[in-house]
Amino acid sequence: MSTQKTHTAAATGPVELDLSVSNGRINVHVDPAAAHAKVTVHTAADEGQIADAVTDTKFTEHGTKLTVSVPDDMAGGIGGTNVVQVGGSTFSFGGGVVNTGTMTGMTISDGDIWIGGQHVVSNGQVIAQQGAKVGGATGTITVDVVLPAGSSLAVSTKNAETTVRGDLEAIRFDARNGSLQAGAVKVLEADTHNGSVLVDRVEEELEASTHNGSITVGAYNGRRGSARTHNGDVNISATPASSGKLAARTHNGNIHVRGAGHLDLKTSTHNGRVW
């Protein structure tokens, strides 16, 4: 059993896709032969909050602008049927307001929960360490996208990995926890707290930042670029087609910029190597 919702754009040709999904995985395929954009949201779950989020997904179109909004499957708190068993104790979570405190071996702080010293909930999601058994609602949301050539993509997510295969005009990626892996793009704007940014080629503009994660650009042809990370490496290969300013900065990590002798290059690292 599974739950699925699909939408095919009415507009023919390239679109600007604005996709919002809190948790799961996003797979984007750019197909030059595709006449219409198509988005499929699905999960293996047939009931519960995850299935409801898929069913309640909203699709709206205004000309070539396609907006897809998947409700937060954790918006009501920890999944209503999740059960965590640690040792001889069983804890059931039904959502609602969670306050900071300790209750007979349970410690709750800012959405994280420890039971008997074991970390069982992180950022509102049930996780399982050794010795913990998790039951109840399971599954994840996957968004599969087919875009015509010349399209653009904007992603907003809390916890979703995003993979793009093919060339896009622009990518705007905003994530709390999640990495971006993409092919070629003219303009890239990526901001993630925990996650890496890996792009094969940037043609015009690069603006990428991450707190914990690496930034890698296989071929930089742009005229304006900036890559910043607090904990992680920055790797950029500039081509002779690139021009203008390029900045690469990290606090803890290495910086490796190749082929940038003709650029106005600025690099800095507190703990790491630059070469």
Side-chain angles (χ1 to χ4, degrees), residues 261-275:
H262 62 293
L263 299 178
D264 181 1
L265 178 64
K266 305 293 184 184
T267 61
S268 67
T269 179
H270 186 73
N271 297 305
R273 214 163 45 106
V274 178
W275 81 99

Side-chain angles (χ1 to χ4, degrees), residues 6-7 35 48 82 142 145 163 193 216 233 244 247 252 255 260:
T6 299
H7 179 83
N82 282 316
T142 300
V145 179
T163 301
H193 188 77
T216 302
D233 296 336
N252 300 305
I255 296 175

Side-chain angles (χ1 to χ4, degrees), residues 4-80:
Q4 177 175 303
K5 198 168 185 178
T6 299
H7 179 83
T8 300
T12 302
V15 299
E16 299 174 38
L17 174 62
D18 192 338
L19 172 61
S20 174
V21 57
S22 291
N23 308 293
R25 173 165 288 279
I26 301 167
N27 303 309
V28 179
H29 173 60
V30 183
D31 183 1
H36 298 267
K38 182 178 180 181
V39 180
T40 301
V41 184
H42 59 97
T43 180
D46 58 1
E47 62 180 8
Q49 286 177 273
I50 294 175
D52 290 344
V54 172
T55 300
D56 294 338
T57 295
K58 302 297 183 184
F59 302 93
T60 57
E61 286 189 66
H62 297 284
T64 59
K65 177 71 175 292
L66 171 60
T67 301
V68 180
S69 179
V70 183
D72 188 349
D73 55 293
M74 300 299 292
I78 301 166

